[in-house]
Amino acid sequence: MKTVLAALAALSLAGAARAEVVDQSAQGFEVRHVVTIAGPPAKVRAAALRPAAWWNSAHSWSGDAKNLSIDLASGCFCETLKDGFVRHMTVVYAGADAVRLSGALGPLQFTGASGHLAFTFTPGADPATTVLTVTYDVGGYAKGGLAEQWAKPVDGVIGEQVGRLKKQIETGKPD
């Protein structure tokens, strides 16, 4: 967990976020990342459902992204730990066009926040490409202000994961 917090802090200080916080208020915030990926929507969706292949281990509780999975049957975006597990989010919709999850990622689980993470797969202008839109809407309470404390770091972490997913699909390696 210390690794997750340190990574979030480093991202916020380093200005690593490349996408945008599209909205924020006292009640919460929304981040959005849009990328075009060389691959049809079905391939991009299948890859998105395998976070162990592309998620950065530094943003996991176990320190190893290989412990992450999204199981559509149980609806669990979970992580196996040495002596337990973490339910990061719950799948609330899984279709060919999108996968939507509900919950608080990482250190947001220590706040009164909850969120909605959506992966939307749209065919690109070239049929061999996909426009992937990832949004994360977060609302609730966090000491010091939810958006003030968390919008930029969360944007950085989500942006990093979207970039790694794109690289994984296009090159076979996330970094």
Side-chain angles (χ1 to χ4, degrees), residues 8-79:
L8 278 171
L11 279 172
S12 66
L13 295 174
R18 291 183 299 151
E20 60 182 322
V21 176
V22 294
D23 189 31
Q24 74 178 51
S25 71
Q27 292 78 31
F29 60 92
E30 177 182 13
V31 299
R32 180 181 306 137
H33 295 259
V34 180
V35 294
T36 299
I37 299 176
K43 178 180 179 181
V44 174
R45 180 185 182 276
L49 292 172
R50 292 188 311 273
W54 52 269
W55 198 270
N56 186 335
S57 291
H59 300 294
S60 68
W61 292 47
S62 66
D64 189 347
K66 291 180 181 153
N67 294 322
L68 295 168
S69 64
I70 297 176
D71 182 340
L72 296 181
S74 68
C76 190
F77 174 17
C78 289
E79 181 174 354

Side-chain angles (χ1 to χ4, degrees), residues 32-35 99 118-122 130-135 162:
R32 180 181 306 137
H33 295 259
V34 180
V35 294
V99 174
F119 292 81
T120 304
F121 314 101
T122 307
T130 301
V131 176
L132 173 65
T133 303
V134 178
T135 57
V162 170

Side-chain angles (χ1 to χ4, degrees), residues 8 19-25 27-34 55 61 77 87-90 92 99-120 132-140 146-147 150-159 161-162:
L8 278 171
E20 60 182 322
V21 176
V22 294
D23 189 31
Q24 74 178 51
S25 71
Q27 292 78 31
F29 60 92
E30 177 182 13
V31 299
R32 180 181 306 137
H33 295 259
V34 180
W55 198 270
W61 292 47
F77 174 17
R87 177 182 293 269
H88 292 289
M89 304 189 97
T90 300
V92 295
V99 174
R100 296 190 290 267
L101 305 102
S102 179
L105 288 171
L108 291 174
Q109 288 186 351
F110 294 101
T111 71
S114 187
H116 180 266
L117 179 67
F119 292 81
T120 304
L132 173 65
T133 303
V134 178
T135 57
Y136 190 30
D137 297 317
V138 180
L146 183 62
W150 293 105
K152 287 183 182 179
V154 168
D155 179 50
V157 171
I158 297 296
Q161 305 323 309
V162 170

